[in-house]
Amino acid sequence: MKTKILVLILCVFATPEVFSQEDNGVVALGLPVRNSLTFNRYTINPTFSFVREQNKYVSLYNKREFVQFEDAPVTYLASYTGRLAENMGAGVGMFQQNYGILTTFGGMVNFAYNARLDRDSNLTFGLNIGGPEYFLLTINPGINYGLAFLDFGVSINNLAVYNFQSSQLLKDNLQRGIQAHMMYTGFMESRGFLDQAKFSGIVRSEFRKEETILSGMVMLTVPKGIWAQAGYNSVFGASGGVGVNITEQIAIEYNFEKDLGDLTEFGPSHDITLAYRIKNKQNYYYSSGEEISGLISTDKRTKVKPLSESAKSKAEANKEAVAERRAQAQAKKLADQKAKEAAAAAAVLLAEQKAKEEAEEQARLIEEQKAKEEAEAQARLLEEQKAKEEEAEQARQLAEQTAKEEAEKQTRLLAEQKAKEEAAEQARQLAEQKAKEEAEKQARLLAEQKAKEEAEEQARQLAEQKAKEQAEEKARLLAEEKAMEEAEAAALLLAQQQAEEEAEVQRLAEEQALEERINNPNDELGKDMLALSQKVENAKARQDEFLKKFDEMVEVKDKDLKDLKEENDLSEQGISVEPKPFKSVTRENMILDATIKELESIIESRNKDIEDLMNLYDEKY
C-alpha cells in the first residue's frame, strides 16, 4: 500500500503545475550550486536527497560570482532537504538571483524514491521541479544505481521548460543537457586522527547542445566534524573549500572558486552555507554511516560509534567465528568428560549417547525449520520485489503516457495558433483587396459619369454653335432676300429652338424619373436592391472603422516593441530607465482577436450582400 501511495506521489510531482510568463526574456532554470558534496546535493542530481544520506538539513546558501565585475551575479538559496524514511528523500528550496538591476525569484521541489534490489544494491529515482518568478515549469529527472561503495547515475537538466502563457514548450534551450556521474564513498581504516575518516569522490560530465562540461570533486571528512574538498570544472575552473560542525547540529561551509580560462579577469567566486542538521532517531541503511560530532559537544553521554556497512559485516563475521570456536571448545570439553566417565559408568555413557542423539535430532529439526523459514522469507522478498518492479513499470508507463498526451496537446495548440494567424492574415489581405476593388470601382464610375457629362456638354455646345451659325447665315440671306423670306426664316428658327428646348426638357425628365425609380422604387425588387445597397454602404463604413482600429492597435504594438528595444539597449549601456506602466498583454491580445473576428464577420456579410445585390441587378435589368 505504501509503495502505491509513493508511486502516486511521484506521478503527481511529474504533473506540470500552472505558471505564466511573457515570452520576452525567458531563460531556463540554472542554480550555480556545484562545489559541495555536503549540502544541497539534490541540485547536482535529484536522487541525492536520498543517496548516502542519513539526516535532514535546513540550510542558507549564498554565492557571489566574479566579485571583480560590477553588478556581478548573486544567488541566495534556502533549502529543507534530506532522508525522510527508509526508502524516501525529499527537499524544497526557495531562491533569489540578482543579475545587476534584474532580480529573479523562484522555487524548487525535489522527490526521491529508492527500490532496494539486494543487500548492497539500490536503484533510486529522483525528480526536481522548479520555476522562476516568470511562472515557467522546468522538469529535471534523474536515476542512480548504488552498490556498497560506488554510485552510477544519469540526470537530464531542463528536460522540459513549459510556458503556460503561450501554452508551448521553450524551444532552443541551451541549458538543456544530459549529465552522467560516478561517485565513490568509503571509510579509511587507520589509527589516530584519520581513523574512520570518510573519503568521497565524484566525476561528472554534462553534454549540452553547444558544449560539453567535465567536472570532478573529492572530499575528506574526519570524525572530529571537519571536512575539506577540492574540485575542477572545465567551464568555471578550480574550487576548494572547508567545512566544520560547530555543534552536532550547526555547521558552516565555505568554498572558493577561481576560473582558469577566459573569465579570469572577472575575479573569483565565493559561496558560504550555514546549515542546521536534524538528526534522525533511527539509523537508515544505504547511508554515509559517518559519525557526527562537533567542535562544541552538547551531549554528555557516552556515544556509541556507528559502524559503516563494511564494519558491520566484519563485526557480524567475527561474532559468528567466536560463537563457532566456543561451540567447538564446548564440544571438545564434553567429549573429554564423556571419555573419562565412560570407564566408570557405561550406563551413564549410554544415557549421554542417547541425549546426544536426541540433541542432534533436535538440532537437525531446528535447522530444517530455519531453512524452511528462510526459503519462505526469500520467496516473500521475491514476491515483494516483483510487485515493486510491476508498480515501477506502471509508473513509467503512466509518465510516458502523460508526456505523450502533453506533446500531442502542444502539437494541437501550435496547429490551432498557426491556423488562427493564417486566417487573420487572409482576412486582412481580403479586406485590403475588397477595399482596393471598391475604390477602383468608384473611380471608374466617377470617370464614366464625368465622360458622359462632358460629352453631353460638348454636344449641347456644338448644337448651339451650329444653330448660331445657321441663324447668322439665314439672317444674311434674309437681309438680301425679301421680307417674306425673312419672316419664314425667323419662323423656322423659332421652331428649331422650341424643338431643342423640348428635347432637353424631355432628357431631364427621363433622368429625374430614373433617379426617382432608384431612390423611391415602387416594386419589391427595387426596394430590395435599395435596402441591400444601403446595407453594403453601412457595412463599408463599419469595415473602414475596424480597419482604422486594427491599424491603431498595430501601431501600439510596434511602439511597445520599440520602447522595449530602447530600454534593453539603455540597460546594456548601464543607463537606468524608469519602468513602463503595466499593460496587460493578454487583454490587448484578446481585444485584437475580437477586432479581427468582427472584421472577418463584416467582410463575409458584406461580400454576401454584394453578391445578392448583383443577383437582383441581373434579375431586374
Side-chain angles (χ1 to χ4, degrees):
M1 184 63 182
K2 291 183 178 179
T3 303
K4 294 182 178 179
I5 295 175
L6 291 174
V7 172
L8 179 60
I9 294 174
L10 180 61
C11 295
V12 171
F13 273 116
T15 303
E17 302 176 9
V18 177
F19 294 94
S20 177
Q21 153 67 10
E22 299 295 336
D23 291 337
N24 298 328
V26 168
V27 295
L29 176 64
L31 295 176
V33 184
R34 52 180 172 267
N35 297 326
S36 176
L37 284 179
T38 305
F39 304 117
N40 297 312
R41 298 192 308 136
Y42 71 99
T43 61
I44 300 177
N45 187 289
T47 63
F48 281 3
S49 61
F50 176 89
V51 173
R52 309 290 177 183
E53 193 59 77
Q54 180 68 234
N55 304 295
K56 297 182 285 291
Y57 300 89
V58 176
S59 63
L60 299 176
Y61 170 87
N62 171 243
K63 186 178 186 71
R64 297 181 180 274
E65 303 179 76
F66 313 130
V67 295
Q68 294 182 6
F69 180 67
E70 185 178 1
D71 294 332
V74 179
T75 300
Y76 301 94
L77 174 64
S79 295
Y80 173 80
T81 180
R83 189 81 168 261
L84 300 183
E86 192 67 63
N87 59 350
M88 188 193 318
V92 61
M94 301 295 293
F95 64 86
Q96 173 184 335
Q97 291 180 292
N98 300 335
Y99 298 92
I101 62 174
L102 300 178
T103 300
T104 300
F105 298 91
M108 178 180 292
V109 177
N110 166 265
F111 180 78
Y113 177 76
N114 181 72
R116 189 174 185 181
L117 306 180
D118 201 351
R119 178 184 178 88
D120 292 324
S121 178
N122 293 271
L123 186 62
T124 309
F125 303 91
L127 184 69
N128 283 343
I129 299 178
E133 64 174 335
Y134 305 116
F135 301 113
L136 296 174
L137 176 72
T138 176
I139 300 176
N140 305 333
I143 188 172
N144 183 85
Y145 177 70
L147 299 172
F149 304 103
L150 294 175
D151 289 277
F152 306 88
V154 176
S155 63
I156 303 179
N157 296 330
N158 294 293
L159 170 64
V161 180
Y162 187 75
N163 187 331
F164 285 89
Q165 176 65 30
S166 59
S167 299
Q168 61 182 0
L169 293 172
L170 181 65
K171 299 179 180 178
D172 298 329
N173 181 9
L174 299 181
Q175 296 293 327
R176 182 183 294 118
I178 299 176
Q179 177 180 287
H181 72 264
M182 180 178 70
M183 184 171 65
Y184 172 83
T185 305
F187 291 84
M188 301 175 63
E189 300 289 345
S190 64
R191 296 181 179 179
F193 183 74
L194 295 179
D195 184 31
Q196 288 300 310
K198 185 181 75 170
F199 175 81
S200 301
I202 186 172
V203 177
R204 291 189 297 161
S205 59
E206 184 175 359
F207 304 96
R208 298 181 179 178
K209 184 177 182 181
E210 297 184 355
E211 64 177 344
T212 298
I213 302 176
L214 303 177
S215 62
M217 188 183 305
V218 293
M219 183 181 72
L220 180 64
T221 305
V222 298
K224 298 298 182 182
I226 303 173
W227 65 90
Q229 54 197 11
Y232 174 77
N233 186 291
S234 60
V235 174
F236 298 99
S239 65
V242 294
V244 61
N245 291 332
I246 301 175
T247 67
E248 293 182 1
Q249 293 181 302
I250 300 175
I252 188 171
E253 180 184 71
Y254 167 77
N255 285 286
F256 175 87
E257 185 178 63
K258 176 69 174 178
D259 185 70
L260 304 178
D262 298 335
L263 303 178
T264 304
E265 59 184 12
F266 293 128
S269 302
H270 307 270
D271 64 73
I272 186 168
T273 304
L274 180 63
Y276 180 80
R277 181 183 291 107
I278 304 173
K279 298 178 63 176
N280 289 317
K281 297 182 180 179
Q282 61 179 345
N283 289 327
Y284 296 121
Y285 78 95
Y286 189 33
S287 66
S288 61
E290 62 182 310
E291 177 185 359
I292 298 176
S293 61
L295 299 180
I296 302 175
S297 177
T298 58
D299 190 355
K300 303 299 182 180
R301 296 174 298 175
T302 302
K303 300 178 182 178
V304 179
K305 184 177 181 179
L307 298 178
S308 62
E309 293 289 339
S310 60
K312 291 179 181 179
S313 300
K314 291 180 180 179
E316 292 176 358
N318 292 334
K319 186 176 181 180
E320 292 175 356
V322 170
E324 184 177 358
R325 287 196 297 269
R326 288 180 179 176
Q328 291 175 355
Q330 185 69 23
K332 184 175 182 300
K333 182 178 179 181
L334 182 61
D336 292 342
Q337 182 67 27
K338 286 181 179 180
K340 291 179 182 180
E341 294 176 354
V348 175
L349 179 63
L350 291 174
E352 290 177 350
Q353 181 65 28
K354 184 177 180 181
K356 182 180 180 181
E357 291 175 354
E358 290 176 353
E360 290 176 350
E361 179 65 17
Q362 186 68 24
R364 185 182 63 79
L365 293 175
I366 292 174
E367 288 294 330
E368 290 178 353
Q369 180 66 22
K370 183 178 180 181
K372 181 179 180 181
E373 292 175 353
E374 290 178 348
E376 292 175 350
Q378 186 67 24
R380 185 175 66 255
L381 290 175
L382 289 176
E383 291 177 355
E384 292 177 354
Q385 180 64 28
K386 184 177 179 181
K388 290 180 179 179
E389 292 175 351
E390 291 176 352
E391 291 174 351
E393 178 64 20
Q394 292 176 357
R396 184 186 64 79
Q397 293 177 356
L398 180 59
E400 291 179 351
Q401 180 65 22
T402 302
K404 181 179 179 182
E405 293 175 354
E406 186 64 25
E408 293 175 351
K409 179 181 178 181
Q410 293 302 318
T411 303
R412 178 176 58 78
L413 291 176
L414 288 174
E416 291 177 354
Q417 180 66 21
K418 184 177 180 182
K420 183 178 181 181
E421 292 174 353
E422 291 177 352
E425 179 63 20
Q426 291 177 357
R428 185 184 63 79
Q429 294 178 355
L430 181 60
E432 291 179 352
Q433 181 65 23
K434 291 294 184 181
K436 183 178 179 181
E437 293 176 355
E438 186 69 22
E440 291 176 352
K441 181 178 179 181
Q442 294 294 334
R444 180 174 56 79
L445 292 175
L446 289 174
E448 292 176 354
Q449 181 67 22
K450 186 176 180 181
K452 181 178 180 181
E453 291 176 354
E454 289 178 351
E456 292 176 350
E457 180 63 24
Q458 290 178 359
R460 186 181 62 78
Q461 292 177 358
L462 289 175
E464 290 177 354
Q465 181 67 23
K466 184 176 181 182
K468 184 177 180 181
E469 290 175 355
Q470 291 177 354
E472 291 177 351
E473 178 65 21
K474 289 180 180 181
R476 184 181 61 80
L477 294 174
L478 288 174
E480 295 176 352
E481 294 178 356
K482 296 179 180 181
M484 184 182 295
E485 293 176 353
E486 293 177 354
E488 291 177 357
L492 180 60
L493 178 60
L494 181 60
Q496 289 177 350
Q497 290 178 350
Q498 185 177 2
E500 291 175 358
E501 291 176 356
E502 291 176 353
E504 181 66 18
V505 170
Q506 183 177 0
R507 183 182 65 81
L508 292 175
E510 291 176 353
E511 290 181 353
Q512 184 175 4
L514 178 60
E515 184 177 357
E516 180 68 20
R517 288 197 304 272
I518 294 175
N519 296 328
N520 298 301
N522 52 11
D523 58 337
E524 293 299 327
L525 192 59
K527 291 179 181 179
D528 293 340
M529 290 178 63
L530 178 60
L532 279 176
S533 177
Q534 292 176 350
K535 187 176 180 182
V536 168
E537 289 299 326
N538 295 334
K540 182 178 183 302
R542 291 187 63 198
Q543 176 182 329
D544 293 339
E545 178 184 351
F546 275 94
L547 283 174
K548 181 179 179 182
K549 185 184 298 184
F550 181 83
D551 292 337
E552 290 175 353
M553 297 179 71
V554 171
E555 289 176 0
V556 171
K557 286 286 187 180
D558 184 65
K559 184 176 183 303
D560 291 343
L561 182 60
K562 290 179 179 178
D563 291 343
L564 182 61
K565 184 178 184 301
E566 180 183 3
E567 181 180 349
N568 184 64
D569 293 340
L570 293 176
S571 178
E572 291 179 353
Q573 297 174 9
I575 300 175
S576 178
V577 181
E578 182 179 357
K580 301 294 183 181
F582 174 79
K583 295 175 64 177
S584 175
V585 177
T586 302
R587 184 173 180 273
E588 290 182 351
N589 291 337
M590 291 175 62
I591 295 175
L592 181 59
D593 292 341
T595 302
I596 293 175
K597 291 180 179 179
E598 184 66 22
L599 185 59
E600 292 174 350
S601 176
I602 292 173
I603 292 174
E604 182 179 359
S605 176
R606 187 164 178 261
N607 290 340
K608 185 177 182 305
D609 292 338
I610 292 174
E611 183 179 357
D612 295 338
L613 182 60
M614 295 300 296
N615 293 334
L616 292 175
Y617 183 87
D618 293 338
E619 181 181 352
K620 182 175 180 65
Y621 296 106

